[in-house]
Amino acid sequence: MANLTLRQLRYFEALAQHRHFGRAAEACAISQPALSVQIKDLEETLGTGLFERSPRQVRLTSFGEAFAERVRDILRAVDELDDFARSAKDRLTGRFRLGVIPTIAPYLLPAVIGKLTRSHPALDLHVRETLTPRLVHELLQGQLDTAIVALPVAEPALIETPLFSENFVLVRPDSDAQKPVPAGDELRNMRLLLLEEGHCFRDQTLAFCNAPSAVPRDGLDGSSLSTLVQMVGAGIGVTIIPEMAVDVETRSANVCCSRFEHPQPERTIGMIWRKSSPLGDAFAEVAEVVRLSFQSL
Amino acid sequence: MANLTLRQLRYFEALAQHRHFGRAAEACAISQPALSVQIKDLEETLGTGLFERSPRQVRLTSFGEAFAERVRDILRAVDELDDFARSAKDRLTGRFRLGVIPTIAPYLLPAVIGKLTRSHPALDLHVRETLTPRLVHELLQGQLDTAIVALPVAEPALIETPLFSENFVLVRPDSDAQKPVPAGDELRNMRLLLLEEGHCFRDQTLAFCNAPSAVPRDGLDGSSLSTLVQMVGAGIGVTIIPEMAVDVETRSANVCCSRFEHPQPERTIGMIWRKSSPLGDAFAEVAEVVRLSFQSL
DNA sequence: GGTTTGCCATAAATAAAAGTTATCAGAACA
DNA sequence: TGTTCTGATAACTTTTATTTATGGCAAACC
């Protein structure tokens, strides 16, 4: 016994409406015999008559009428499914899980979220803020869709899309404002406050100072850039923060910021996602939104 | 672009569950390439990716997940439709419109309705009581499914199924109880009370009396057997009623019933329905129920 | 009362769709 | 570096759907 097909249900509905094989067939854009055969097959599959063919007119049986009601519901649901897909085509819709590292999130996310919810109202945005290795792991596990991190990540299963580069700046107490800006190497001899281990920004800073990343430290690590700047304001030492953090973090502390000379330290921020994701194009759009968000900071 | 098919949705659901082409294909009892192709076609039809194929695992995209929910609903509805049809197979279900003539309805229907609702609980029974020509007309128009009438009807588009025959009995005032039972011809000379024109029972009675059916009458026609019997009780005349009406109609009136001799008048009751109806078998079952109802009167 | 007409069913042939087997290609794993 | 796992692709076959042509039946029409 054959299976029910949507085609049969569509033909059935047409015939139920027109009550005439020829006209129903025309409405389905097929020949009358094709319709006859399909209806007959449907009736056989069901094991019940749906129509009563009398010489002058075609009528639904009482079962056929009950059947028609259900069929209408199903066909409507299928059409809606189709529309649903078509409306989601290319555009990003539904759940979207975005990871961000802690040295970016507080500064970039407000703008990103604003732009994104405006440009993609149907988006169900989830944000995860944690360190790069964990983001990468969750990305590979499929628990995240994309992440905003410092490049490179060098994970073969991921695509990296560079968004922008930004310099790092030196943060010193106000009192040091007139002193010359030290070079990277010289920072090693100053009390340089750093983020805790695990933050990529810590490693980038140490690299700039030509210091081994595993150098033993004396308990001066902060858990956030905000903390570091507060510590600088308190005269405990100096620190380095990315440019995007300057406005937010140094507004209220009595510290001053200075650019480095010649070899300016910098990082490249980018978005990453699984190579295998079929939503690459949509993600690239989001990447562009993020890039614009940075520009408008 | 091709159309959505139930087959594709079924395969999609399997793959969404197994997240593995090989195993999903096995579950669908097809080869892995067949599944791959169908899924690909589905994605093309929709214009969106549903699955993310990474080397080690197959994942639903976020759209795919939303899609899957709707698909499950649809497939469930289709399966229910299937069950619905299978459960209605052969058995009579849903609306059932039964016509009955007035000289049968009051006596037979209580038993028929009782038996029918017990044997076919899912039946939505509608009863129409009117004269034979109108029943036949409504049957031909598709406004009724079957009717219980006196045979023959001789309408080529209808099937007649005889159910049983019953005799007619003479109803006289109690005072006449000892008088001999007149023959049919003799009734013409008595005050014979009849139903109004249009009732087949009137014609059958007149035929028994060898009287022309269009004989002018003196305003003694009753609109129901019940009325006729009451009139007999009042001494206005005599009448003839079918056997099945005896118990109900003569219980409280002071009348007596007598069988005729030798050529006993009788009528054949049968069920009729459209030849073209595919529910003939189910109707035949109902006919049997009606026959049994008569036997148990 | 034949004949025409409208309408659905059936048959044979053709076109389209779905399935099969065989094979490839990429990534993971050892 | 092969080996394994897994999905995609290709060539071919089978099944399903559709078309054109035709038949049959009953109503409607001279």
Side-chain angles (χ1 to χ4, degrees):
Chain A
M1 189 74 44
N3 238 325
L4 232 53
T5 70
L6 276 185
R7 193 191 314 240
Q8 287 173 339
L9 297 187
R10 290 231 154 81
Y11 292 175
F12 166 79
E13 195 197 22
L15 184 55
Q17 283 212 327
H18 290 92
R19 286 149 196 257
H20 186 288
F21 279 75
R23 282 190 281 280
E26 192 182 8
C28 296
I30 56 170
S31 67
Q32 169 265 313
L35 185 95
S36 282
V37 169
Q38 288 297 321
I39 295 294
K40 201 181 130 212
D41 284 357
L42 176 60
E43 288 179 324
E44 254 165 41
T45 302
L46 298 176
T48 319
L50 293 169
F51 293 97
E52 178 181 334
R53 293 108 158 128
S54 46
R56 204 40 61 175
Q57 67 182 337
V58 173
R59 262 193 292 261
L60 279 167
T61 62
S62 73
F63 170 73
E65 270 179 37
F67 191 80
E69 274 183 50
R70 289 165 175 258
V71 167
R72 261 190 291 280
D73 286 347
I74 289 174
L75 292 180
R76 191 181 34 65
V78 170
D79 289 345
E80 280 172 6
L81 183 69
D82 223 333
D83 296 344
F84 176 58
R86 233 167 282 286
S87 80
K89 184 175 173 171
D90 295 328
R91 290 186 303 127
L92 200 58
T93 50
R95 191 192 55 193
F96 178 62
R97 296 159 305 180
L98 172 68
V100 192
I101 55 174
T103 53
I104 298 180
Y107 319 114
L108 200 56
L109 272 191
V112 169
I113 292 174
K115 274 200 162 52
L116 220 48
T117 52
R118 240 173 294 125
S119 64
H120 296 75
L123 212 59
D124 174 21
L125 181 66
H126 295 241
V127 173
R128 170 107 169 98
E129 177 185 327
T130 189
L131 304 175
T132 301
R134 167 144 246 141
L135 289 180
V136 169
H137 178 254
E138 294 183 0
L139 213 40
L140 292 175
Q141 294 294 306
Q143 293 155 252
L144 284 177
D145 295 308
T146 69
I148 302 174
V149 298
L151 300 185
V153 170
E155 173 64 43
L158 299 181
I159 287 182
E160 305 185 3
T161 300
L163 297 173
F164 53 83
S165 291
E166 62 167 348
N167 295 320
F168 300 165
V169 299
L170 179 66
V171 183
R172 294 179 293 182
D174 266 342
S175 53
D176 292 6
Q178 303 311 320
K179 295 187 186 170
V181 177
D185 292 356
E186 299 174 78
L187 286 169
R188 273 181 293 181
N189 308 318
M190 305 174 69
R191 301 202 59 173
L192 181 62
L193 307 175
L194 295 174
L195 287 176
E196 296 157 342
E197 275 193 47
H199 287 273
C200 56
F201 184 68
R202 171 195 170 101
D203 302 331
Q204 288 150 5
T205 304
L206 287 172
F208 173 63
C209 306
N210 285 318
S213 89
V215 64
R217 308 271 314 162
D218 45 3
L220 292 179
D221 295 343
S223 64
S224 71
L225 297 179
S226 182
T227 306
L228 295 183
V229 173
Q230 296 305 317
M231 290 166 75
V232 171
I236 299 175
V238 303
T239 194
I240 291 177
I241 64 173
E243 241 177 343
M244 69 166 76
V246 169
D247 273 6
V248 172
E249 300 299 355
T250 66
R251 188 161 299 156
S252 55
N254 44 343
V255 297
C256 67
C257 300
S258 320
R259 291 190 168 280
F260 290 97
E261 273 160 25
H262 182 28
Q264 285 209 14
E266 61 167 26
R267 64 177 179 177
T268 299
I269 302 304
M271 244 176 76
I272 54 178
W273 59 82
R274 290 184 298 280
K275 267 183 193 159
S276 56
S277 172
L279 283 69
D281 292 351
F283 294 161
E285 269 179 52
V286 173
E288 182 58 16
V289 171
V290 174
R291 209 179 56 73
L292 292 173
S293 301
F294 174 75
Q295 289 187 340
S296 68
L297 275 187
Chain B
M1 191 72 42
N3 239 327
L4 233 50
T5 69
L6 276 185
R7 192 187 315 236
Q8 288 173 339
L9 297 187
R10 290 231 154 81
Y11 292 174
F12 166 79
E13 195 197 24
L15 184 56
Q17 282 211 328
H18 289 92
R19 285 148 197 259
H20 186 289
F21 279 75
R23 283 190 279 280
E26 193 181 6
C28 296
I30 56 170
S31 67
Q32 169 265 313
L35 185 93
S36 283
V37 169
Q38 288 297 321
I39 296 292
K40 202 181 128 212
D41 284 358
L42 176 61
E43 288 180 325
E44 253 167 43
T45 302
L46 299 175
T48 320
L50 293 169
F51 293 98
E52 178 180 334
R53 292 105 159 131
S54 47
R56 204 38 61 176
Q57 65 182 344
V58 173
R59 263 193 291 262
L60 280 167
T61 62
S62 73
F63 171 72
E65 271 178 38
F67 192 79
E69 275 184 48
R70 289 165 174 258
V71 168
R72 262 189 292 279
D73 286 348
I74 289 174
L75 291 181
R76 191 182 33 64
V78 171
D79 289 345
E80 281 172 5
L81 184 69
D82 224 332
D83 297 344
F84 175 58
R86 233 167 283 286
S87 80
K89 183 175 172 170
D90 296 330
R91 288 188 304 128
L92 200 57
T93 50
R95 191 192 55 193
F96 178 63
R97 297 160 303 182
L98 172 68
V100 193
I101 55 173
T103 51
I104 298 181
Y107 319 113
L108 200 55
L109 272 191
V112 168
I113 292 174
K115 273 200 160 54
L116 219 48
T117 53
R118 241 174 291 125
S119 63
H120 296 75
L123 211 60
D124 175 21
L125 181 66
H126 294 242
V127 173
R128 169 105 169 99
E129 178 186 325
T130 189
L131 302 175
T132 302
R134 168 146 244 139
L135 290 179
V136 168
H137 178 253
E138 293 182 1
L139 212 41
L140 292 175
Q141 292 295 304
Q143 293 155 249
L144 285 176
D145 296 307
T146 69
I148 302 174
V149 298
L151 300 185
V153 170
E155 172 65 43
L158 300 181
I159 288 182
E160 305 186 4
T161 300
L163 297 173
F164 53 84
S165 290
E166 62 168 348
N167 296 322
F168 299 164
V169 299
L170 180 66
V171 182
R172 294 180 293 183
D174 267 341
S175 53
D176 292 5
Q178 302 311 320
K179 295 186 185 171
V181 177
D185 291 355
E186 300 175 79
L187 287 169
R188 274 181 293 182
N189 309 319
M190 305 176 67
R191 299 203 57 170
L192 180 62
L193 307 176
L194 294 174
L195 287 176
E196 295 157 342
E197 275 192 48
H199 288 271
C200 55
F201 183 69
R202 170 197 172 101
D203 302 331
Q204 289 150 4
T205 305
L206 287 174
F208 174 63
C209 306
N210 284 319
S213 89
V215 65
R217 307 271 315 161
D218 45 3
L220 292 178
D221 296 343
S223 65
S224 70
L225 296 179
S226 181
T227 306
L228 294 184
V229 174
Q230 296 306 316
M231 289 165 76
V232 172
I236 299 177
V238 303
T239 195
I240 290 177
I241 64 174
E243 241 177 343
M244 66 165 79
V246 169
D247 272 5
V248 172
E249 301 300 355
T250 65
R251 189 160 299 156
S252 55
N254 44 341
V255 297
C256 67
C257 300
S258 321
R259 291 190 169 279
F260 290 96
E261 273 163 26
H262 184 27
Q264 285 210 11
E266 61 167 23
R267 64 178 181 179
T268 299
I269 303 303
M271 243 175 75
I272 54 178
W273 58 82
R274 289 184 298 279
K275 267 182 193 161
S276 56
S277 173
L279 282 70
D281 293 352
F283 294 161
E285 270 179 51
V286 173
E288 182 58 16
V289 171
V290 175
R291 208 178 56 75
L292 292 173
S293 300
F294 174 73
Q295 288 187 342
S296 68
L297 275 186

